[in-house]
Amino acid sequence: MDRWLIVGLGNPGPEYAGNRHNAGFMTLDELAARAGGRFKVHRSRAELLETPKAVLIKPLTYMNLSGGPTKLLSDFYKIPVERVIVVHDELDVPYGALRAKLGGGDNGHNGLKSITKVMGSRDYLRVRFGIGRPPGRMDPASFVLKDFATAERKDLPFLVDRSADVVESLMERGLEATQNSFHALDLNISGPPR
């Protein structure tokens, strides 16, 4: 069976753990918990967990260099770009919403920029974890490196759980079915998809 490469974007270290920019790491931690596995540091400069269906990775290179470990591990496991799913925070999706898509631009996201450049393709699947726009005139670069607000944190475990559901749906059901199931759920953060 062909495996998938699931890449969660974030920055390593406890000082970044609760940041909006680490939504990808949070989602992969949930997927690892569901698989009953633990990440191990790999020589590719990523934390890695192999499951029967997928190789889960959290690059430890900081966001701007996420492409290096992604390419190394996609080559090592012979996983083509169309079986790569990248989970990342997204400013242009409101908090409480998740979007699945194939390809597209990087929208100023340095992790995506690095992966697209090193992989030589933008045709990988993305799970866009909505964080919304910063308030007032706050610089987006500062906003993504701040922890989720207190009000957001109460729904965060549910959203991380749902983000993991989106990844699993992409692997099992494909893009269109996943979009149909999850895109209608914007800001309905009171319960699981029906």
PDB file of all heavy atoms in Angstrom, residues 94-99 155 158-159 162 181-194:
ATOM      1  N   PRO A  94     -10.840  32.204   8.648  1.00  0.00           N
ATOM      2  CA  PRO A  94     -11.197  32.638  10.000  1.00  0.00           C
ATOM      3  C   PRO A  94     -10.960  31.555  11.048  1.00  0.00           C
ATOM      4  O   PRO A  94     -11.028  30.361  10.735  1.00  0.00           O
ATOM      5  CB  PRO A  94     -12.691  32.978   9.904  1.00  0.00           C
ATOM      6  CG  PRO A  94     -13.176  32.320   8.665  1.00  0.00           C
ATOM      7  CD  PRO A  94     -11.994  32.151   7.752  1.00  0.00           C
ATOM      8  N   TYR A  95     -10.690  31.995  12.270  1.00  0.00           N
ATOM      9  CA  TYR A  95     -10.516  31.040  13.358  1.00  0.00           C
ATOM     10  C   TYR A  95     -11.792  30.207  13.485  1.00  0.00           C
ATOM     11  O   TYR A  95     -12.899  30.738  13.435  1.00  0.00           O
ATOM     12  CB  TYR A  95     -10.227  31.751  14.686  1.00  0.00           C
ATOM     13  CG  TYR A  95      -9.954  30.779  15.801  1.00  0.00           C
ATOM     14  CD1 TYR A  95      -8.753  30.092  15.861  1.00  0.00           C
ATOM     15  CD2 TYR A  95     -10.917  30.521  16.784  1.00  0.00           C
ATOM     16  CE1 TYR A  95      -8.500  29.176  16.867  1.00  0.00           C
ATOM     17  CE2 TYR A  95     -10.663  29.606  17.797  1.00  0.00           C
ATOM     18  CZ  TYR A  95      -9.457  28.940  17.833  1.00  0.00           C
ATOM     19  OH  TYR A  95      -9.217  28.024  18.826  1.00  0.00           O
ATOM     20  N   GLY A  96     -11.630  28.903  13.626  1.00  0.00           N
ATOM     21  CA  GLY A  96     -12.783  28.022  13.731  1.00  0.00           C
ATOM     22  C   GLY A  96     -13.106  27.329  12.421  1.00  0.00           C
ATOM     23  O   GLY A  96     -13.980  26.475  12.372  1.00  0.00           O
ATOM     24  N   ALA A  97     -12.420  27.698  11.349  1.00  0.00           N
ATOM     25  CA  ALA A  97     -12.662  27.079  10.040  1.00  0.00           C
ATOM     26  C   ALA A  97     -11.410  26.336   9.588  1.00  0.00           C
ATOM     27  O   ALA A  97     -10.291  26.713   9.918  1.00  0.00           O
ATOM     28  CB  ALA A  97     -13.040  28.142   9.019  1.00  0.00           C
ATOM     29  N   LEU A  98     -11.627  25.287   8.823  1.00  0.00           N
ATOM     30  CA  LEU A  98     -10.549  24.507   8.234  1.00  0.00           C
ATOM     31  C   LEU A  98     -10.819  24.395   6.741  1.00  0.00           C
ATOM     32  O   LEU A  98     -11.967  24.290   6.324  1.00  0.00           O
ATOM     33  CB  LEU A  98     -10.511  23.099   8.848  1.00  0.00           C
ATOM     34  CG  LEU A  98     -10.193  23.058  10.339  1.00  0.00           C
ATOM     35  CD1 LEU A  98     -10.663  21.753  10.952  1.00  0.00           C
ATOM     36  CD2 LEU A  98      -8.696  23.228  10.573  1.00  0.00           C
ATOM     37  N   ARG A  99      -9.770  24.413   5.955  1.00  0.00           N
ATOM     38  CA  ARG A  99      -9.909  24.292   4.505  1.00  0.00           C
ATOM     39  C   ARG A  99      -8.911  23.262   3.993  1.00  0.00           C
ATOM     40  O   ARG A  99      -7.738  23.298   4.369  1.00  0.00           O
ATOM     41  CB  ARG A  99      -9.603  25.628   3.810  1.00  0.00           C
ATOM     42  CG  ARG A  99     -10.623  26.702   4.076  1.00  0.00           C
ATOM     43  CD  ARG A  99     -11.819  26.501   3.166  1.00  0.00           C
ATOM     44  NE  ARG A  99     -12.779  27.559   3.336  1.00  0.00           N
ATOM     45  CZ  ARG A  99     -13.783  27.544   4.205  1.00  0.00           C
ATOM     46  NH1 ARG A  99     -13.934  26.524   5.024  1.00  0.00           N
ATOM     47  NH2 ARG A  99     -14.638  28.544   4.271  1.00  0.00           N
ATOM     48  N   ASP A 155     -11.763  26.414  22.488  1.00  0.00           N
ATOM     49  CA  ASP A 155     -12.165  25.599  21.333  1.00  0.00           C
ATOM     50  C   ASP A 155     -10.982  24.916  20.643  1.00  0.00           C
ATOM     51  O   ASP A 155     -11.190  24.085  19.759  1.00  0.00           O
ATOM     52  CB  ASP A 155     -12.884  26.478  20.295  1.00  0.00           C
ATOM     53  CG  ASP A 155     -14.215  26.988  20.811  1.00  0.00           C
ATOM     54  OD1 ASP A 155     -14.966  26.182  21.390  1.00  0.00           O
ATOM     55  OD2 ASP A 155     -14.508  28.189  20.637  1.00  0.00           O
ATOM     56  N   PHE A 158     -10.785  21.004  20.278  1.00  0.00           N
ATOM     57  CA  PHE A 158     -11.768  20.511  19.317  1.00  0.00           C
ATOM     58  C   PHE A 158     -11.310  20.782  17.878  1.00  0.00           C
ATOM     59  O   PHE A 158     -11.442  19.920  17.001  1.00  0.00           O
ATOM     60  CB  PHE A 158     -13.133  21.168  19.582  1.00  0.00           C
ATOM     61  CG  PHE A 158     -14.128  20.871  18.513  1.00  0.00           C
ATOM     62  CD1 PHE A 158     -14.651  19.590  18.369  1.00  0.00           C
ATOM     63  CD2 PHE A 158     -14.516  21.851  17.629  1.00  0.00           C
ATOM     64  CE1 PHE A 158     -15.555  19.307  17.352  1.00  0.00           C
ATOM     65  CE2 PHE A 158     -15.413  21.572  16.616  1.00  0.00           C
ATOM     66  CZ  PHE A 158     -15.933  20.297  16.479  1.00  0.00           C
ATOM     67  N   LEU A 159     -10.765  21.965  17.626  1.00  0.00           N
ATOM     68  CA  LEU A 159     -10.321  22.305  16.273  1.00  0.00           C
ATOM     69  C   LEU A 159      -9.119  21.466  15.849  1.00  0.00           C
ATOM     70  O   LEU A 159      -9.016  21.053  14.689  1.00  0.00           O
ATOM     71  CB  LEU A 159      -9.988  23.791  16.180  1.00  0.00           C
ATOM     72  CG  LEU A 159     -11.204  24.705  16.250  1.00  0.00           C
ATOM     73  CD1 LEU A 159     -10.773  26.156  16.411  1.00  0.00           C
ATOM     74  CD2 LEU A 159     -12.080  24.538  15.018  1.00  0.00           C
ATOM     75  N   ARG A 162     -10.510  18.178  14.945  1.00  0.00           N
ATOM     76  CA  ARG A 162     -11.148  18.235  13.627  1.00  0.00           C
ATOM     77  C   ARG A 162     -10.109  18.342  12.510  1.00  0.00           C
ATOM     78  O   ARG A 162     -10.286  17.754  11.440  1.00  0.00           O
ATOM     79  CB  ARG A 162     -12.127  19.402  13.544  1.00  0.00           C
ATOM     80  CG  ARG A 162     -12.912  19.352  12.239  1.00  0.00           C
ATOM     81  CD  ARG A 162     -13.762  20.575  12.036  1.00  0.00           C
ATOM     82  NE  ARG A 162     -14.995  20.486  12.785  1.00  0.00           N
ATOM     83  CZ  ARG A 162     -15.828  21.521  12.940  1.00  0.00           C
ATOM     84  NH1 ARG A 162     -15.537  22.688  12.412  1.00  0.00           N
ATOM     85  NH2 ARG A 162     -16.943  21.381  13.611  1.00  0.00           N
ATOM     86  N   SER A 181     -17.451  17.620   3.113  1.00  0.00           N
ATOM     87  CA  SER A 181     -17.769  17.319   4.512  1.00  0.00           C
ATOM     88  C   SER A 181     -17.386  18.435   5.469  1.00  0.00           C
ATOM     89  O   SER A 181     -18.110  18.717   6.414  1.00  0.00           O
ATOM     90  CB  SER A 181     -17.032  16.055   4.966  1.00  0.00           C
ATOM     91  OG  SER A 181     -17.498  14.950   4.272  1.00  0.00           O
ATOM     92  N   PHE A 182     -16.224  19.060   5.229  1.00  0.00           N
ATOM     93  CA  PHE A 182     -15.680  19.949   6.252  1.00  0.00           C
ATOM     94  C   PHE A 182     -15.838  21.437   5.968  1.00  0.00           C
ATOM     95  O   PHE A 182     -15.855  22.237   6.891  1.00  0.00           O
ATOM     96  CB  PHE A 182     -14.208  19.618   6.518  1.00  0.00           C
ATOM     97  CG  PHE A 182     -14.025  18.317   7.237  1.00  0.00           C
ATOM     98  CD1 PHE A 182     -13.854  17.130   6.536  1.00  0.00           C
ATOM     99  CD2 PHE A 182     -14.046  18.258   8.619  1.00  0.00           C
ATOM    100  CE1 PHE A 182     -13.702  15.919   7.192  1.00  0.00           C
ATOM    101  CE2 PHE A 182     -13.897  17.059   9.289  1.00  0.00           C
ATOM    102  CZ  PHE A 182     -13.726  15.879   8.578  1.00  0.00           C
ATOM    103  N   HIS A 183     -15.952  21.839   4.720  1.00  0.00           N
ATOM    104  CA  HIS A 183     -16.015  23.272   4.441  1.00  0.00           C
ATOM    105  C   HIS A 183     -17.319  23.907   4.910  1.00  0.00           C
ATOM    106  O   HIS A 183     -17.365  25.094   5.166  1.00  0.00           O
ATOM    107  CB  HIS A 183     -15.788  23.554   2.950  1.00  0.00           C
ATOM    108  CG  HIS A 183     -14.356  23.375   2.546  1.00  0.00           C
ATOM    109  ND1 HIS A 183     -13.849  23.872   1.379  1.00  0.00           N
ATOM    110  CD2 HIS A 183     -13.313  22.765   3.159  1.00  0.00           C
ATOM    111  CE1 HIS A 183     -12.563  23.572   1.278  1.00  0.00           C
ATOM    112  NE2 HIS A 183     -12.225  22.893   2.349  1.00  0.00           N
ATOM    113  N   ALA A 184     -18.362  23.120   5.056  1.00  0.00           N
ATOM    114  CA  ALA A 184     -19.644  23.657   5.511  1.00  0.00           C
ATOM    115  C   ALA A 184     -19.667  23.889   7.019  1.00  0.00           C
ATOM    116  O   ALA A 184     -20.624  24.442   7.542  1.00  0.00           O
ATOM    117  CB  ALA A 184     -20.766  22.701   5.124  1.00  0.00           C
ATOM    118  N   LEU A 185     -18.612  23.498   7.694  1.00  0.00           N
ATOM    119  CA  LEU A 185     -18.624  23.520   9.164  1.00  0.00           C
ATOM    120  C   LEU A 185     -18.029  24.783   9.773  1.00  0.00           C
ATOM    121  O   LEU A 185     -17.805  24.832  10.968  1.00  0.00           O
ATOM    122  CB  LEU A 185     -17.853  22.311   9.703  1.00  0.00           C
ATOM    123  CG  LEU A 185     -18.452  20.955   9.340  1.00  0.00           C
ATOM    124  CD1 LEU A 185     -17.516  19.842   9.774  1.00  0.00           C
ATOM    125  CD2 LEU A 185     -19.806  20.781   9.974  1.00  0.00           C
ATOM    126  N   ASP A 186     -17.784  25.816   8.970  1.00  0.00           N
ATOM    127  CA  ASP A 186     -17.165  27.036   9.486  1.00  0.00           C
ATOM    128  C   ASP A 186     -17.803  27.508  10.791  1.00  0.00           C
ATOM    129  O   ASP A 186     -19.025  27.631  10.887  1.00  0.00           O
ATOM    130  CB  ASP A 186     -17.301  28.175   8.474  1.00  0.00           C
ATOM    131  CG  ASP A 186     -16.417  27.963   7.278  1.00  0.00           C
ATOM    132  OD1 ASP A 186     -15.832  26.887   7.164  1.00  0.00           O
ATOM    133  OD2 ASP A 186     -16.318  28.888   6.462  1.00  0.00           O
ATOM    134  N   LEU A 187     -16.956  27.779  11.730  1.00  0.00           N
ATOM    135  CA  LEU A 187     -17.341  28.383  12.999  1.00  0.00           C
ATOM    136  C   LEU A 187     -18.402  27.602  13.764  1.00  0.00           C
ATOM    137  O   LEU A 187     -18.925  28.060  14.753  1.00  0.00           O
ATOM    138  CB  LEU A 187     -17.813  29.839  12.780  1.00  0.00           C
ATOM    139  CG  LEU A 187     -16.777  30.732  12.104  1.00  0.00           C
ATOM    140  CD1 LEU A 187     -17.339  32.106  11.831  1.00  0.00           C
ATOM    141  CD2 LEU A 187     -15.502  30.833  12.916  1.00  0.00           C
ATOM    142  N   ASN A 188     -18.708  26.405  13.291  1.00  0.00           N
ATOM    143  CA  ASN A 188     -19.596  25.544  14.056  1.00  0.00           C
ATOM    144  C   ASN A 188     -18.697  24.735  14.976  1.00  0.00           C
ATOM    145  O   ASN A 188     -18.415  23.579  14.729  1.00  0.00           O
ATOM    146  CB  ASN A 188     -20.388  24.634  13.110  1.00  0.00           C
ATOM    147  CG  ASN A 188     -21.143  23.557  13.876  1.00  0.00           C
ATOM    148  OD1 ASN A 188     -21.381  23.689  15.076  1.00  0.00           O
ATOM    149  ND2 ASN A 188     -21.488  22.483  13.199  1.00  0.00           N
ATOM    150  N   ILE A 189     -18.249  25.381  16.034  1.00  0.00           N
ATOM    151  CA  ILE A 189     -17.279  24.712  16.886  1.00  0.00           C
ATOM    152  C   ILE A 189     -17.940  24.150  18.140  1.00  0.00           C
ATOM    153  O   ILE A 189     -17.352  24.031  19.163  1.00  0.00           O
ATOM    154  CB  ILE A 189     -16.063  25.616  17.217  1.00  0.00           C
ATOM    155  CG1 ILE A 189     -16.476  27.032  17.506  1.00  0.00           C
ATOM    156  CG2 ILE A 189     -15.072  25.590  16.106  1.00  0.00           C
ATOM    157  CD1 ILE A 189     -15.346  28.013  17.616  1.00  0.00           C
ATOM    158  N   SER A 190     -19.224  23.803  18.000  1.00  0.00           N
ATOM    159  CA  SER A 190     -19.931  23.251  19.153  1.00  0.00           C
ATOM    160  C   SER A 190     -20.001  21.725  19.111  1.00  0.00           C
ATOM    161  O   SER A 190     -20.431  21.105  20.059  1.00  0.00           O
ATOM    162  CB  SER A 190     -21.346  23.813  19.209  1.00  0.00           C
ATOM    163  OG  SER A 190     -22.011  23.517  17.996  1.00  0.00           O
ATOM    164  N   GLY A 191     -19.605  21.120  18.010  1.00  0.00           N
ATOM    165  CA  GLY A 191     -19.678  19.663  17.962  1.00  0.00           C
ATOM    166  C   GLY A 191     -19.034  19.125  16.714  1.00  0.00           C
ATOM    167  O   GLY A 191     -18.649  19.885  15.830  1.00  0.00           O
ATOM    168  N   PRO A 192     -18.908  17.813  16.645  1.00  0.00           N
ATOM    169  CA  PRO A 192     -18.239  17.192  15.503  1.00  0.00           C
ATOM    170  C   PRO A 192     -19.075  17.277  14.231  1.00  0.00           C
ATOM    171  O   PRO A 192     -20.264  17.567  14.286  1.00  0.00           O
ATOM    172  CB  PRO A 192     -18.073  15.727  15.944  1.00  0.00           C
ATOM    173  CG  PRO A 192     -19.168  15.515  16.936  1.00  0.00           C
ATOM    174  CD  PRO A 192     -19.400  16.838  17.605  1.00  0.00           C
ATOM    175  N   PRO A 193     -18.446  17.007  13.076  1.00  0.00           N
ATOM    176  CA  PRO A 193     -19.198  17.050  11.827  1.00  0.00           C
ATOM    177  C   PRO A 193     -20.336  16.027  11.852  1.00  0.00           C
ATOM    178  O   PRO A 193     -20.219  14.987  12.450  1.00  0.00           O
ATOM    179  CB  PRO A 193     -18.153  16.678  10.759  1.00  0.00           C
ATOM    180  CG  PRO A 193     -16.911  16.329  11.453  1.00  0.00           C
ATOM    181  CD  PRO A 193     -17.046  16.681  12.905  1.00  0.00           C
ATOM    182  N   ARG A 194     -21.437  16.392  11.197  1.00  0.00           N
ATOM    183  CA  ARG A 194     -22.593  15.488  11.149  1.00  0.00           C
ATOM    184  C   ARG A 194     -22.617  14.733   9.841  1.00  0.00           C
ATOM    185  O   ARG A 194     -22.329  15.211   8.840  1.00  0.00           O
ATOM    186  CB  ARG A 194     -23.870  16.307  11.270  1.00  0.00           C
ATOM    187  CG  ARG A 194     -23.980  16.972  12.637  1.00  0.00           C
ATOM    188  CD  ARG A 194     -25.199  17.847  12.736  1.00  0.00           C
ATOM    189  NE  ARG A 194     -25.204  18.949  13.667  1.00  0.00           N
ATOM    190  CZ  ARG A 194     -24.269  19.369  14.448  1.00  0.00           C
ATOM    191  NH1 ARG A 194     -23.120  18.800  14.483  1.00  0.00           N
ATOM    192  NH2 ARG A 194     -24.449  20.401  15.239  1.00  0.00           N
TER     193      ARG A 194
END
